[in-house]
Amino acid sequence: MRSRRLVVSAAVVAAGAGLVPGPAQAAVPALPAVSAAAADYTGTFHSPHERTVRTVLPGGAGEDATGNPDLALALMGEITTARGLDLGINIASADAPLDVTIDWGDGTTGKATATGAAVLLHNKHAYPRPGEYTVTVTVVDSANGVQAVNTLPFATAGSFFVPHAPLRLLDTRSGTGAAKAKVGPYSSVRVKIAGAGKVPATATAVVLNVTVTNTTAGGHVSAYPAGRARPESSNMNYTAGQTVPNMVIVPVGRDGYVELYNGGWNAADLIADVTGYFDRSASDGYTALNPVRFVDTREGNGAPRGQVAGQGAIGVQITGRGGVPAGATAVALNVTVTNPREAGHLTVFPSGQAAPTTSNLNFTAGQTVANSVIVPLGPDGKINVRNGAWAGTDVIVDVVGYYGAGSKAAFTSTIRGIPSSPWRLHDSRRAPANVWPCLAGGYMPMDLRDWNTNMPVEAHVLNVTVTGTTGPGHLSVAPDPYSMDDYRYGRPPMPPRPASSTLNWTAGKDVPNLVQAKPGPHGVVDFWNQSSREVHYVIDWFGRYDAY
C-alpha cells in the first residue's frame, strides 16, 4: 500500500577538504554579538565577511603590507538534525596556503588546509547534547603572517525533556488562564506557556493534555504555536455532548504562547493541563520501546485482577520492567479504560504524591477509550492511576518509551531547521494520499525516513485519527521489520500482529490519539486496523526524536 515519505528537499553545498580532529586554537578576538535565535524560522545561521577580525601574527608583514590584505571568511550554518549542523566556510584570500581550524564550541575541533583565491569548505558536526554553542573558525596565512577569525552562534533544533507535575493552565469554564467563557466557533484561545508554573521562558515545546467539553455541535480542535498560520492538522474531533481529551506535543510560539482553535459550529469549553516541556538546557533524552503491555486489570497483568474501584487507585511499577531502566524520570504511556460502569475520568500521576485535580482520560458508562500520557515517575519508579468515577472500571496501560539522562534522542519539530509542525502527513480520504481505506484486519506500512539526512529516527510524534468507522475496533501502531522496497518489489511475510492498542472506536465516531511511533530498522511504521470493518486514517506529524 502506498504511503507518503517524510521528506523535505533542501540544497546542500558540498565542497572542499574534510576536517579531522586537532588541537584547539589560541584565544581569539572578541566579535560583535549575533543572536543564536536567528535561524528559528529559516533553518540557517549566517556570519558575513564583515564580521571577520583580521590580526597580524608575530613577525607578520603588518596591516598595510601587500600580502593577503583582504583575508576574510563568512560562515553559514544549516540545521540538519536535532543536534546536527552543516557548516559552510567561504574564504576570500590571496592565492596562498591556508590553515583552517574549527572550534565547534563543545570541546572538539577540526582542521583543514586549503589554497586559492576563493575557498569553500564544508563539514557536518553532531553535538553531544542540545544547547546553544558558538562555532569559531580561524584561518591562518603563515606565509603572509596574518590570521582571520569569525564566529557563528548556533542553537540546536532539538531539545531534551523536563517532567512537570500536572498543572491546569487553561479552563474556560472557570476562567483559568483565559476569560470565563466558551471558545467561540471557528476561533481560538491563547494559552500562556512560558513562565506558567515551572515552565521557563526558554521552553521550545510543551506537553499538554487538552480536553474539549460542553459541546453542542460537532467540530475539531487544533493546537499550534502562537504567531504561525493555523495548520490543516487537528488534534481531536468531537460531536455534540462529548467530552474528549487528547495529549498534544506542540512547539511554543516566539511570544511564549500556544493557540487552541475550536473548529466547531458552536462554542465549546477547552481545558489544558501541562505535564512536561522541552528545553535546550534540559538533561533528559527519549528512548522509544516496542509497545509493551504493563497493566491489564481484566487479566491481572501488572495489577490485581478486577476493576479499579470507584475513587480508588492502583500503583504501577515502571522501572525495572519491559526495558525501562532505573533512573528513568518519566514514561510515555497509552492508557485505555474499558468496561466502565459509569461516567468518570482517570488521573495518572507520580507515586508518592497526592492525586492532582487534573485528568488524563474522560469516559462514559460502557465506553472503551484511550489517551496518550507522559507522566513523571515517583522516587520508587512507580506511577499511580486513579479512577475518578464512583463505580469501577478496567484499566489497560501500554508503555511506548521513557525519558532519562541516559537517553540520547532530542525532540525537534523541524525538518532541516525549517519549522514543519504541525503537518498533515497522510489522509486516505483525499489526494495526494488517495490510497483507499485500510482493510479490515490489515495494516498500512508508512515510510517515515528522512531521506535528506539518512539518519535513524528514534520515534515520530504523530496525531492519528481514525474516521469513516462503521463498527467497533481498535488501532495498533508498531515498527515494521521490512523496508518499503520489500513491499514495492516483493511480498514479505506479515509482521507480527501487535498486542498493544493505540486508540479505540465505535461506529460513526472519529477518534484521535497522539502516538509516539517507533519506526523499524528501515524507517517504516505500521498502522494496524484491528477490526472487522475498513477505516480511513488521518495522520498529522508534530515532530520527532533524533539521536543525532
Side-chain angles (χ1 to χ4, degrees), residues 465-481:
T465 303
V466 171
T467 186
T469 59
T470 58
H474 69 276
L475 170 75
S476 299
V477 179
D480 190 301

Side-chain angles (χ1 to χ4, degrees), residues 402-501:
Y402 64 89
Y403 300 87
S407 299
K408 295 182 178 180
F411 175 77
T412 178
S413 59
T414 69
I415 298 175
R416 293 201 69 84
I418 307 300
S420 307
S421 168
W423 171 33
R424 176 131 302 171
L425 183 65
H426 176 90
D427 188 341
S428 62
R429 304 168 301 178
R430 64 181 73 168
N434 196 26
V435 296
W436 58 79
C438 186
L439 300 177
Y443 70 102
M444 181 187 76
M446 178 172 284
D447 190 353
L448 293 180
R449 286 176 296 167
D450 181 348
W451 283 16
N452 286 307
T453 64
N454 201 31
M455 292 292 187
V457 173
E458 185 73 13
H460 293 275
V461 178
L462 310 172
N463 197 80
V464 181
T465 303
V466 171
T467 186
T469 59
T470 58
H474 69 276
L475 170 75
S476 299
V477 179
D480 190 301
Y482 309 114
S483 71
M484 287 307 296
D485 283 346
D486 292 331
Y487 287 102
R488 294 185 186 102
Y489 307 119
R491 297 180 63 88
M494 180 178 288
R497 185 177 294 273
S500 61
S501 65

Side-chain angles (χ1 to χ4, degrees), residues 302-317:
R305 184 172 183 174
Q307 293 193 329
V308 180
Q311 303 295 304
I314 58 171
V316 182
Q317 180 67 47

Side-chain angles (χ1 to χ4, degrees), residues 15-20 111-113 122-123:
L19 298 174
V20 296
K111 279 187 169 294
T113 58
H122 169 83
N123 202 7

Side-chain angles (χ1 to χ4, degrees), residues 208-478:
L208 299 173
N209 196 70
V210 179
T211 303
V212 60
T213 190
N214 297 327
T215 58
T216 58
H220 68 274
V221 175
S222 297
Y224 59 100
R228 296 194 209 167
R230 178 170 55 84
E232 180 187 6
S233 62
S234 63
N235 295 87
M236 64 188 72
N237 300 72
Y238 62 86
T239 58
Q242 272 193 311
T243 295
V244 180
N246 197 17
M247 191 177 77
V248 305
I249 298 178
V250 60
V252 179
R254 283 183 167 179
D255 62 357
Y257 285 77
V258 301
E259 297 207 27
L260 301 179
Y261 173 78
N262 173 24
W265 290 100
N266 292 342
D269 279 309
L270 292 176
I271 304 164
D273 302 322
V274 62
T275 62
Y277 61 91
F278 294 87
D279 189 271
R280 291 188 181 95
S281 64
S283 59
D284 291 351
Y286 181 70
T287 297
L289 299 172
N290 292 331
V292 182
R293 180 142 294 176
F294 270 45
V295 172
D296 189 340
T297 60
R298 301 170 301 178
E299 302 174 356
N301 176 15
R305 184 172 183 174
Q307 293 193 329
V308 180
Q311 303 295 304
I314 58 171
V316 182
Q317 180 67 47
I318 298 296
T319 58
R321 299 177 57 199
V324 182
T329 57
V331 64
L333 312 170
N334 199 70
V335 179
T336 304
V337 62
T338 189
N339 305 319
R341 290 191 282 153
E342 66 171 36
H345 66 273
L346 290 185
T347 300
V348 185
F349 59 100
S351 65
Q353 300 181 15
T357 57
T358 57
S359 63
N360 298 95
L361 182 60
N362 299 74
F363 53 86
T364 58
Q367 185 183 23
T368 298
V369 61
N371 197 20
S372 290
V373 176
I374 296 177
V375 60
L377 298 175
D380 55 1
K382 293 182 179 180
I383 61 170
N384 293 326
V385 182
R386 182 179 183 273
N387 174 16
W390 292 102
T393 185
D394 281 305
V395 173
I396 301 167
V397 177
D398 296 320
V399 172
V400 301
Y402 64 89
Y403 300 87
S407 299
K408 295 182 178 180
F411 175 77
T412 178
S413 59
T414 69
I415 298 175
R416 293 201 69 84
I418 307 300
S420 307
S421 168
W423 171 33
R424 176 131 302 171
L425 183 65
H426 176 90
D427 188 341
S428 62
R429 304 168 301 178
R430 64 181 73 168
N434 196 26
V435 296
W436 58 79
C438 186
L439 300 177
Y443 70 102
M444 181 187 76
M446 178 172 284
D447 190 353
L448 293 180
R449 286 176 296 167
D450 181 348
W451 283 16
N452 286 307
T453 64
N454 201 31
M455 292 292 187
V457 173
E458 185 73 13
H460 293 275
V461 178
L462 310 172
N463 197 80
V464 181
T465 303
V466 171
T467 186
T469 59
T470 58
H474 69 276
L475 170 75
S476 299
V477 179

